[in-house]
Amino acid sequence: MLAANWKMNLNLHEASELFDGFLETLPAQESNRYVIFAPYVFLPQLSLYNSSIELGAQNFYPAEKGAYTGEISISQLKELHVKAVLIGHSERRIHFSESNELIKQKVDCALAHEVKVVFCCGESLEIRDSNEHLHFINEQLKDSLFHVSKENILNCSIAYEPIWAIGTGRTASCEQIEEMHSSIRSSIANQYDQTTAQSVAILYGGSCNSKNAKDIFSCPNVDGGLIGGASLTTEEFSLIAHQLN
Ligand code: PGA
């Protein structure tokens, strides 16, 4: 699975061109799942393409409707053929003060509307340096994700994104990634069961690019990537896609 997180980048023309580029160059293997998390305002245009690339939204508010000025509901996104949502990204936790409780509500709301979830978790450098990273990520999962049913966890993917690696050009080493991903896999197995743990995709995100993707994707517990900066050009993103196992 490969997901692009365009964040607050591009204009409409650039977004359409990039989407066209992806359609032309991404390897069309049935086993590969591609999701593009585009800014809201590009979704109407991108939803006109009837493609195998899934459309995703970077955010939404977990209420059905009502007096929430400036917010977008999951039903509104579904009208635009949005199939997946990003929840718990560190930029939302940090810049928009999203709490574990709000993140939990978002998970429930998306799943209740049959929209797939990409649940992001990640630790700060301070937490890693104090060697608390495995425990911290396990708590993030327990606080906001592991309350869902076994049936529903299969509609979720988990993206491990160390905060210190996002947009910094500093990637986690393969040892660090594998240590965390296998710990996440064990946590899912403890909470649910081994078969379920094998079925949940665990993605890595944080300065992943065409040069390091091969090594990252070859870690046994890495099932794909969530790509920010390197998803903003066709060439770079498709080079990454060609390195998926
Ligand atoms: P990056 O962002 O690839 O630019 O580090 C990843 C993300 O924030 O999802």
Side-chain angles (χ1 to χ4, degrees):
M1 174 174 168
L2 194 63
N5 178 8
W6 286 352
K7 308 190 180 183
M8 200 174 72
N9 292 301
L10 309 166
N11 62 34
L12 181 56
H13 177 69
E14 291 164 341
S16 302
E17 270 196 353
L18 197 52
F19 203 83
D20 282 333
F22 288 178
L23 288 175
E24 275 165 32
T25 58
L26 295 184
Q29 281 170 22
E30 283 218 355
S31 54
N32 286 4
R33 180 179 167 209
Y34 301 115
V35 190
I36 309 298
F37 291 101
Y40 287 144
V41 289
F42 304 154
L43 293 172
Q45 172 76 20
L46 299 180
S47 70
L48 300 175
Y49 291 81
N50 189 12
S51 83
S52 60
I53 299 179
E54 281 173 44
L55 267 193
Q58 298 172 20
N59 190 30
F60 66 99
Y61 190 70
E64 293 306 315
K65 61 177 180 175
Y68 301 99
T69 302
E71 294 297 331
I72 309 276
S73 74
I74 205 96
S75 309
Q76 291 170 329
L77 293 173
K78 280 185 77 171
E79 284 195 308
L80 300 173
H81 308 290
V82 163
K83 301 277 184 271
V85 283
L86 210 51
I87 301 181
H89 193 285
S90 59
E91 286 156 15
R92 295 217 56 89
R93 293 178 191 259
I94 294 167
H95 303 314
F96 303 98
S97 309
E98 290 199 4
S99 64
N100 284 337
E101 180 51 35
L102 178 69
I103 291 167
K104 184 179 180 189
Q105 286 171 21
K106 287 182 159 192
V107 167
D108 289 337
C109 181
L111 294 172
H113 286 87
E114 295 175 349
V115 171
K116 296 214 157 98
V117 168
V118 175
F119 181 91
C120 303
C121 54
E123 82 287 356
S124 65
L125 198 53
E126 204 183 353
I127 292 170
R128 177 157 285 271
D129 286 345
S130 60
N131 207 23
E132 288 292 319
H133 50 291
L134 298 181
H135 174 73
F136 181 81
I137 298 301
N138 199 31
E139 291 296 301
Q140 280 190 328
L141 296 172
K142 283 207 308 214
D143 284 343
S144 309
L145 185 66
F146 281 172
H147 63 285
V148 308
S149 66
K150 184 156 111 183
E151 193 190 4
N152 265 334
I153 196 78
L154 296 172
N155 292 317
C156 301
S157 312
I158 296 172
Y160 169 57
E161 300 203 305
I163 297 170
W164 45 274
I166 296 178
T168 58
R170 180 178 164 185
T171 326
S173 69
C174 287
E175 291 71 29
Q176 289 171 322
I177 296 172
E178 183 52 26
E179 178 196 43
M180 183 59 79
H181 280 229
S182 72
S183 162
I184 293 172
R185 187 91 63 203
S186 309
S187 303
I188 307 170
N190 287 340
Q191 186 69 27
Y192 300 93
D193 58 47
Q194 198 62 48
T195 318
T196 306
Q198 291 307 326
S199 307
V200 174
I202 308 176
L203 315 179
Y204 171 78
S207 296
C208 184
N209 58 42
S210 62
K211 298 203 172 54
N212 57 31
K214 194 169 193 296
D215 287 342
I216 294 172
F217 296 159
S218 62
C219 298
N221 281 294
V222 173
D223 303 312
L226 175 57
I227 318 296
S231 72
L232 295 172
T233 63
T234 303
E235 198 195 359
E236 187 67 5
F237 193 64
S238 91
L239 280 172
I240 297 172
H242 279 87
Q243 297 177 59
L244 275 176
N245 298 324

